[in-house]
Amino acid sequence: MVDPTVLEEQAKLIERTKELSCLYEIAKIIAPSSRSFSEVLQAIVSILPSAFHYPERVGAGIQIDDLVFMTDGFSPSTRRISATLTIEGRPKGVIEVFYRQSEDGEDEDGEEHFLPEETNLLQTIARQVSLMIEIKLANEKQAKLESQLRHADRLAKMGQLTAGVAHELNEPLSGILGFAQLALKKIDSPEQSARYLDRIVQSCLHAREIIKKMMLFSSPAPQHMARADLNQLLADGMAFIVPRFEKSGIRFDSVLDPDLPAIVADPAQITQVLVNLVINAIHAMPNGGVLTVKTVAAEGKTRMIVQDTGVGMDAQTMEQIFLPFFSTKDVDHGTGLGLSVVHGIITAHHATIEVQSQVGRGAVFTITFPAAGEDGGGKGGDD
Ligand code: ADP
């Protein structure tokens, strides 16, 4: 004969195990997953009855604002317990468990009633669900803030861009207007007005140059893609630029890897990249220094490095150098378009550009081209 107190303890233990299993299942459901919010709440509702004494006769429901989730066969019942879902200190909904009524609307017979432990369990579950909702709301708030920040950032960049365009175009436009007015006044002096007209043409060419550069950084679709020998392109480009170094006290070093894989590129645009990087390097070394142009084969990719021993940049400058019109130079020395053009060309070639620099210790620009034949670089050889 088994001792009845042992049986009772055993029954209690079984109940506690059911409750713990239910809590464990809920924790698993709540854990981050690809389930939607509604799916999570529906899953919690479905698992709830398993923690109670007569699971087959128990129904459950969760209501949050105007959202309602419930097990099949939900019906109002007098034998029910509920717990409030409190979000950020305010009641936001309710979680409810009940014993189903019989067909005729009467409570089913039997000794079903909720135990104090079951009421506590429901409170615990309500706290877990409330916490989950709070985390979800916090995440949503954060995502919204991040999106607002991104928007503000975009607006700021657009403002910067517009101000830059206005500033750059204002100069040639003022020239055109001024010289046109002067030419009008001197209409009876053909020689004089021819000089003014010539200045107008120069200003128009200047404006066209600015617009050309802007188009290049916005979407410089490479025009003449072909398999190219980067070493040859750089050697040709440098032969054109090096004479400019002669008086500037800058030494030119070139370290070209003889085993460089071919790239697919628009030669004119690569020369433009080299020229822009080298001109910046020259500007960065007003008292002379060393400019190194290197190529390196790296895991099938082709790397081009332009390095100087000039003034260098701080981290804040480095963050902005690829933005159109960002410049630390005088109006006469920089338009702030050089590196944004470089960035546009590099992106159109499916290549990447990185910069490393420290104030007073020069700068290193590293461009990595995909191997010819790899995705990127265009169709190759269509030229
Ligand atoms: P710009 O040369 O007309 O100013 P860029 O877009 O070419 O425009 O360069 C933007 C800025 O990046 C420069 O004003 C300068 O502050 C910085 N920069 C670019 N290259 C270098 C370099 N080699 N060393 C130091 N600073 C550089």
Side-chain angles (χ1 to χ4, degrees):
M1 177 87 185
V2 184
D3 183 345
T5 53
V6 172
L7 278 178
E8 202 176 310
E9 285 304 311
Q10 201 176 13
K12 275 188 185 163
L13 256 172
I14 291 171
E15 286 311 305
R16 293 302 78 79
T17 311
K18 275 161 61 181
E19 290 170 14
L20 283 174
S21 307
C22 174
L23 279 173
Y24 175 65
E25 284 305 317
I26 289 178
K28 276 206 302 196
I29 294 168
I30 288 176
S33 73
S34 55
R35 286 191 222 218
S36 70
F37 182 58
S38 303
E39 283 167 348
V40 167
L41 289 177
Q42 189 58 53
I44 292 174
V45 160
S46 312
I47 204 89
L48 268 179
S50 68
F52 290 83
H53 202 74
Y54 300 101
E56 66 289 351
R57 288 189 227 157
V58 169
I62 293 179
Q63 172 260 316
I64 298 164
D65 292 333
D66 47 2
L67 293 175
V68 178
F69 306 88
M70 55 183 74
T71 48
D72 292 339
F74 184 92
S75 58
S77 164
T78 49
R79 281 176 296 161
R80 53 191 281 276
I81 48 171
S82 63
T84 308
L85 296 173
T86 309
I87 315 292
E88 292 169 346
R90 292 209 200 110
K92 194 95 166 121
V94 69
I95 182 163
E96 191 175 279
V97 177
F98 55 89
Y99 278 111
R100 289 201 184 90
Q101 287 184 330
S102 62
E103 304 267 294
D104 53 13
E106 291 297 312
D107 287 352
E108 277 182 5
D109 289 339
E111 71 248 27
E112 303 101 335
H113 59 277
F114 290 104
L115 306 168
E117 291 85 347
E118 291 177 330
T119 310
N120 288 342
L121 173 71
L122 199 65
Q123 298 287 353
T124 307
I125 293 172
R127 274 196 297 276
Q128 269 195 343
V129 173
S130 300
L131 190 66
M132 179 199 81
I133 297 169
E134 266 173 351
I135 291 172
K136 177 186 172 279
L137 290 177
N139 286 344
E140 278 175 4
K141 223 186 245 172
Q142 191 183 345
K144 201 168 153 195
L145 267 175
E146 277 172 10
S147 140
Q148 279 171 349
L149 265 177
R150 269 198 300 275
H151 186 63
D153 193 41
R154 264 202 297 273
L155 281 181
K157 285 205 178 103
M158 258 178 71
Q160 207 176 354
L161 186 71
T162 319
V165 174
H167 177 77
E168 286 300 317
L169 286 180
N170 212 22
E171 204 188 299
L173 276 180
S174 313
I176 292 167
L177 183 65
F179 289 117
Q181 284 166 337
L182 286 173
L184 268 179
K185 280 190 192 155
K186 298 284 176 187
I187 205 92
D188 46 354
S189 164
E191 266 178 41
Q192 189 81 334
S193 41
R195 269 204 297 277
Y196 291 139
L197 287 176
D198 188 46
R199 302 292 288 268
I200 292 174
V201 171
Q202 293 307 321
S203 294
C204 287
L205 288 175
H206 182 189
R208 195 173 71 174
E209 201 53 34
I210 292 169
I211 290 175
K212 227 157 97 185
K213 280 188 183 172
M214 275 164 42
M215 283 159 70
L216 208 58
F217 81 69
S218 59
S219 60
Q223 301 296 316
H224 304 287
M225 294 297 270
R227 259 180 106 79
D229 174 357
L230 184 62
N231 284 345
Q232 193 59 50
L233 284 180
L234 298 184
D236 292 348
M238 288 313 288
F240 170 73
I241 305 167
V242 164
R244 294 180 64 164
F245 291 86
E246 269 154 17
K247 286 185 226 124
S248 55
I250 293 171
R251 198 179 83 222
F252 167 58
D253 265 353
S254 143
V255 190
L256 305 181
D257 186 339
D259 300 318
L260 203 64
I263 57 168
V264 176
D266 179 334
Q269 290 194 351
I270 299 305
T271 307
Q272 171 91 64
V273 166
L274 177 72
V275 169
N276 290 9
L277 291 179
V278 167
I279 286 176
N280 277 342
I282 296 172
H283 285 159
M285 297 188 284
N287 303 317
V290 184
L291 170 79
T292 314
V293 174
K294 267 193 244 176
T295 55
V296 192
E299 294 148 14
K301 297 185 192 308
T302 301
R303 215 157 262 165
M304 156 182 173
I305 298 158
V306 177
Q307 183 169 4
D308 65 63
T309 55
V311 293
M313 289 167 263
D314 57 20
Q316 206 191 349
T317 304
M318 266 196 288
E319 266 177 32
Q320 305 180 73
I321 53 173
F322 295 110
L323 293 177
F325 300 111
F326 172 80
S327 179
T328 54
K329 298 173 190 170
D330 293 346
V331 192
D332 300 343
H333 284 100
T335 56
L337 283 175
L339 286 181
S340 50
V341 166
V342 167
H343 191 267
I345 293 175
I346 292 309
T347 310
H349 278 75
H350 301 273
T352 57
I353 182 161
E354 274 169 45
V355 58
Q356 285 170 311
S357 182
Q358 271 179 33
V359 175
R361 315 208 45 182
V364 187
F365 286 86
T366 305
I367 295 169
T368 307
F369 292 93
E374 234 182 67
D375 160 44
K379 298 160 245 61
D382 63 346
D383 190 273

